[in-house]
Amino acid sequence: MFGALDLGTNNCRLLIARQQGKGFRVIDSFSRIVRLGEGVSLSGRLSDDAMQRTVDALRICAEKMRRAGVTHMRCVATEVCRKANNSDDFLGRVQQHCGIELDIISTAEEATLAAEGCAPLIDYRHQHALVFDIGGGSTELVWLGLKGRKQSEVLGWMSIPVGVVTLTERHGGIRVTEDAYQGMMTEVLRHVDAFEAEHSIAARIREGRVQMLGTSGTVTTLAGVHFGLEKYNRSRIDGAWLNASAMLDICHRLARSDYEQRLQEPCIGRERADLVVSGCAIVEAMHSRWPVKKLRVADRGLREGMLLGMMRRAGRERQEAAEARRQAKQEKQADKSTAVMTDEQKAAS
């Protein structure tokens, strides 16, 4: 039984799964918006209230894993814990009160795990894929070269040091002016342009050789709004295709709407109403440089990547244990054969 926990700037998310063939079957899951990174972009520190909210959510995760009998687990923290200067104190509190050991992973590992988790949704008939993951404190970009037989190679990655929480805290989220929205896009474009200059992605897109795939609360929310869902439905969203023109129309509508109007959208609600506009700015900034005709939406990523990695390691451990048992058996049989020969030699002498 495997458990994968992803603690981000905004969300705490858990998946518990059992291996099934080359994949896995989800046994239980948990997701809660904890806003751990609230105020960190301004103060540089995790607040006591944010840490307490997060510890409360992590206690639930620990209990779920205990009840499910999880044998292999990995629990990671991302951008907010990389940035905050009191992260060590927070990790100690989590260990003490929840029994969970959080691993603060690098931006490179975060990007790689997110891409691996999304791999089942990649169309390998393309030559390249551009995967992006919009988080609360950062946005990960992964540029993949695609090969036959569902193989890929990471050609480049970037962690843009802004996400929906950081942009909202800098530019506003309750009432967002046109100038504030453009300011958000400008912040993102500085990094997008640097990535484009290095990899010439736009030229590949013009040739029709790139699949773009987005994984985050922003893109799943945009898809939910587009499909007019009264309640979020993962099976309807995960793997869905979203026409770029429809996606941009929603971004523009949400950017011009007021906070109360956003609250009325069932797939946005109170938890995301102040953050969704900054997510729209990130999406629009990327599309302005990488104008794909459609985007594939993924409600998967880091946790799924962790699960697959743990399952591979567990498989190797089982193989190594089986090989060790085989060698021990051979050695035991060899020892018996040697003992029999020695007894026969003694009798002959």
Side-chain angles (χ1 to χ4, degrees):
M1 193 72 74
F2 297 86
L5 188 150
D6 167 23
L7 177 61
T9 302
N10 200 42
N11 273 20
C12 173
R13 307 180 74 193
L14 168 72
L15 271 186
I16 298 173
R18 177 178 283 120
Q19 191 162 6
Q20 191 171 62
K22 293 183 178 180
F24 54 83
R25 180 168 64 90
V26 174
I27 304 299
D28 198 2
S29 64
F30 175 80
S31 179
R32 177 177 291 181
I33 292 180
V34 294
R35 299 207 175 196
L36 177 61
E38 189 173 63
V40 170
S41 65
L42 305 175
S43 68
R45 293 179 60 82
L46 302 170
S47 71
D48 287 336
D49 287 346
M51 286 192 285
Q52 188 56 56
R53 288 195 301 267
T54 306
V55 166
D56 291 342
L58 290 172
R59 279 200 189 101
I60 296 172
C61 294
E63 178 61 17
K64 281 181 171 288
M65 288 191 282
R66 187 192 65 78
R67 274 196 239 161
V70 167
T71 55
H72 298 71
M73 74 173 70
R74 189 167 186 208
C75 307
V76 305
T78 56
E79 181 67 10
V80 69
C81 287
R82 290 193 290 262
K83 282 184 175 178
N85 56 30
N86 60 338
S87 292
D88 288 344
D89 294 340
F90 170 65
L91 265 58
R93 186 183 299 192
V94 170
Q95 177 74 53
Q96 179 184 355
H97 294 287
C98 308
I100 289 175
E101 186 174 342
L102 284 171
D103 176 21
I104 302 177
I105 59 174
S106 67
T107 55
E109 185 174 9
E110 182 179 357
T112 302
L113 286 171
E116 185 172 358
C118 293
L121 298 180
I122 291 175
D123 184 347
Y124 288 83
R125 291 173 295 181
H126 289 84
Q127 290 187 358
H128 296 88
L130 178 61
V131 180
F132 67 87
D133 181 1
I134 302 172
S138 65
T139 299
E140 317 307 323
L141 302 175
V142 188
W143 178 233
L144 297 172
L146 305 181
K147 304 174 183 179
R149 299 180 182 177
K150 296 189 176 182
Q151 293 182 333
S152 63
E153 176 187 6
V154 176
L155 302 177
W157 65 272
M158 172 182 278
S159 181
I160 299 175
V162 292
V164 295
V165 174
T166 47
L167 284 180
T168 298
E169 289 181 345
R170 289 175 195 168
H171 300 275
I174 302 298
R175 181 178 177 274
V176 184
T177 65
E178 179 64 26
D179 285 346
Y181 190 74
Q182 291 300 321
M184 294 181 192
M185 288 183 59
T186 299
E187 272 201 61
V188 177
L189 281 170
R190 285 199 295 267
H191 303 281
V192 167
D193 287 342
F195 200 65
E196 164 62 23
E198 186 176 357
H199 298 290
S200 302
I201 297 168
R204 302 291 186 184
I205 290 174
R206 287 194 294 271
E207 295 168 359
R209 297 179 176 182
V210 179
Q211 178 189 352
M212 198 166 183
L213 191 149
T215 169
S216 69
T218 293
V219 292
T220 57
T221 297
L222 292 177
V225 172
H226 172 68
F227 294 126
L229 300 182
E230 290 299 318
K231 184 180 179 182
Y232 184 78
N233 183 343
R234 183 182 186 274
S235 63
R236 180 72 177 86
I237 298 299
D238 186 47
W241 290 93
L242 195 57
N243 286 332
S245 59
M247 176 183 71
L248 293 176
D249 285 345
I250 295 169
C251 287
H252 296 155
R253 176 166 67 83
L254 292 176
R256 295 187 181 100
S257 65
D258 61 35
Y259 180 74
E260 293 300 323
Q261 289 173 318
R262 281 174 256 140
L263 279 178
Q264 301 309 311
E265 292 281 356
C267 287
I268 296 177
R270 190 169 299 278
E271 291 184 325
R272 294 188 181 276
D274 60 335
L275 302 176
V276 69
V277 175
S278 56
C280 290
I282 296 171
V283 168
E284 188 170 354
M286 287 191 288
H287 187 268
S288 70
R289 296 298 186 263
W290 301 317
V292 294
K293 293 181 180 179
K294 58 183 179 178
L295 169 77
R296 195 160 200 193
V297 180
D299 187 353
R300 61 178 74 200
L302 200 61
R303 294 173 302 163
E304 288 79 4
M306 286 192 286
L307 285 173
L308 293 170
M310 283 189 287
M311 289 172 184
R312 281 197 302 272
R313 285 192 296 274
R316 288 196 297 268
E317 289 169 2
R318 287 194 297 270
Q319 289 178 345
E320 290 168 1
E323 177 63 22
R325 287 194 298 270
R326 187 184 67 79
Q327 289 182 353
K329 186 176 179 180
Q330 288 179 341
E331 290 171 2
K332 189 174 181 180
Q333 289 174 340
D335 290 343
K336 285 183 178 179
S337 298
T338 300
V340 168
M341 289 177 62
T342 301
D343 288 342
E344 290 174 349
Q345 289 170 351
K346 285 181 180 179
S349 62

